[in-house]
Amino acid sequence: NGNRFYYLTRTQFPVFMEMVKLLESNGILDFTGANVKSINRSQTKSIRSLEARILFVAEKYYLSIWKGTERYKPEFGLFSYSDGAGGSSNHSKVVIRPETGLAEPRSKELHSQRVYAESGWDMSYSRFGLDPQNWLPVDLNFMLFGYTKQLAGLFLKTGQLEKAKMFSDEAAEIDRNLKKYLYDSETGIYMDYNFVEKRLSKVVTAASFFPFYFEIYDKNEKSRNALRSLSSILKPNGSQALHTTNRRGPGQWDDAWSWAPLNEIAFQSMIKYEMNEDAHSLAFDYSKMVITSFHSNQQKFFEKYWAVDGSISLPKDTEIYGNEEGFGWTNGTLAVFLDFLTKSHSVKNLEKEIQNQLDTKNAL
């Protein structure tokens, strides 16, 4: 999303294997065909199929960017975010591109801000405070659990048994450490873990939906109650969508700011745990909020919404760069929700409630 040279030192939230899974489930990719051959670094030039290239890149990305940098914390067997330029925040200069000699000044604040940027939750002071690099985030680590588990399955399909076992073992190790460090037995919810202070966070965030999305819980009533409890904390009575955290903060990923991808992760989790009524309620309320705002704001969608009342205006005392118009993930999540509501025969009722809300606003 830019050409600043310091972008070279960081990655993004690892959704690549989720994209691959979607394409495979729609028949666009096929990892069982004869054209998927065993490959390694020395055979890069002989790669012929898209599927083989995907396997090569997916393996290299995990081993080099996540397991092969300071993002991996061996003591805990889990991962943190970093800006990728050396990890330690007290270096006077950090080499960005060794082959060119490019270096830049380093300060603790700069390091923390770039870690925030890599997380995507920039900024979420109620979640990470001033030191996002000190946390093992629940969403990141579950995403990498799913990443390694799926990659193991793809290697198994292609007959690459050694690599299949290697990534299956990776997934199992991440799973064990997730249960050891991130699981809160009192609430039944997985939380962020501060590996410097060696403690679980007390802040509830929408990142805790990711364990449900990756189906780490058994499919029983106890798990459904934990999911309902998490939802009720982050979508209190009267709110139109999920809050990002249950604590106040000056950041745009704090408090009642609501983000489309987090609402969809929660929705998909409810579907997986056969909680269709809860999923319907979330999809209905979010769709009503977004479409009402669309008609009230020059027919535009926005990056984020204040879940208390669906507003888009930004307070003056927040750490927020703006509210981008026409943001893709809002459109995409709305499309998923409207498809679900159409199949549930709820669209007419949705239209009626939106019209009533618009009429009320116009009357005021």
Side-chain angles (χ1 to χ4, degrees), residues 16-17 31 36-45 47 49-64 147 151 154-155 160 163 167:
F16 182 60
M17 292 308 295
F31 289 88
V36 183
K37 55 191 291 187
S38 178
I39 59 175
N40 56 43
R41 297 180 193 279
S42 64
Q43 297 171 314
T44 305
K45 293 182 180 179
I47 297 172
S49 71
L50 175 59
E51 287 83 356
R53 293 200 300 273
I54 284 171
L55 289 176
F56 177 78
V57 170
E59 177 185 11
K60 183 178 180 181
Y61 173 66
Y62 175 77
L63 294 177
S64 63
Y147 188 107
L151 192 51
L154 295 181
F155 277 125
Q160 299 180 69
K163 290 187 176 181
F167 280 100

Side-chain angles (χ1 to χ4, degrees), residues 75-276:
E75 180 183 350
F76 304 93
L78 293 171
F79 302 86
S80 68
Y81 291 113
S82 172
D83 72 353
S88 177
S89 59
N90 58 3
H91 293 176
S92 59
K93 281 192 178 289
V94 175
V95 176
I96 301 297
R97 293 289 296 273
E99 69 275 20
T100 64
L102 279 176
E104 66 167 346
R106 168 51 57 91
S107 69
K108 185 176 185 296
E109 182 181 1
L110 180 63
H111 178 66
S112 299
Q113 295 230 351
R114 292 189 180 173
V115 174
Y116 259 123
E118 181 170 277
S119 78
W121 287 54
D122 48 339
M123 303 298 194
S124 183
Y125 294 111
S126 65
R127 181 184 182 189
F128 293 134
L130 297 176
D131 298 300
Q133 64 270 21
N134 292 349
W135 294 88
L136 303 175
V138 60
D139 48 351
L140 170 64
N141 282 283
F142 269 94
M143 186 61 80
L144 289 170
F145 164 71
Y147 188 107
T148 50
K149 187 176 181 181
Q150 187 185 351
L151 192 51
L154 295 181
F155 277 125
L156 187 63
K157 286 182 181 179
T158 65
Q160 299 180 69
L161 301 185
E162 279 190 28
K163 290 187 176 181
K165 183 179 186 307
M166 180 180 80
F167 280 100
S168 179
D169 290 345
E170 286 284 320
E173 178 68 12
I174 293 172
D175 184 18
R176 283 192 293 273
N177 291 317
L178 286 167
K179 290 180 170 67
K180 181 177 180 180
Y181 294 107
L182 272 62
Y183 183 69
D184 182 5
S185 58
E186 289 186 14
T187 63
I189 294 171
Y190 286 83
M191 309 281 277
D192 299 323
Y193 183 83
N194 189 309
F195 64 86
V196 175
E197 300 176 5
K198 294 185 169 52
R199 63 171 180 84
L200 278 172
S201 173
K202 296 180 180 179
V203 180
V204 180
T205 81
S208 291
F209 286 108
F210 279 80
F212 293 98
Y213 178 80
F214 285 104
E215 301 177 82
I216 202 76
Y217 294 86
D218 294 331
K219 300 287 181 67
N220 56 33
E221 198 58 30
K222 181 180 178 181
S223 301
R224 285 187 279 272
N225 286 337
L227 181 49
R228 287 192 185 97
S229 175
L230 176 61
S231 302
S232 65
I233 292 170
L234 294 174
K235 190 174 180 290
N237 289 336
S239 279
Q240 301 182 31
L242 285 171
H243 297 200
T244 303
T245 74
N246 71 333
R247 295 281 181 89
R248 287 191 175 278
Q252 60 182 3
W253 292 76
D254 288 326
D255 201 10
W257 283 111
S258 192
W259 295 79
L262 298 177
N263 281 272
E264 187 170 345
I265 286 289
F267 168 83
Q268 299 290 0
S269 299
M270 293 167 182
I271 295 295
K272 291 182 178 187
Y273 282 83
E274 300 176 349
M275 296 166 57
N276 279 19

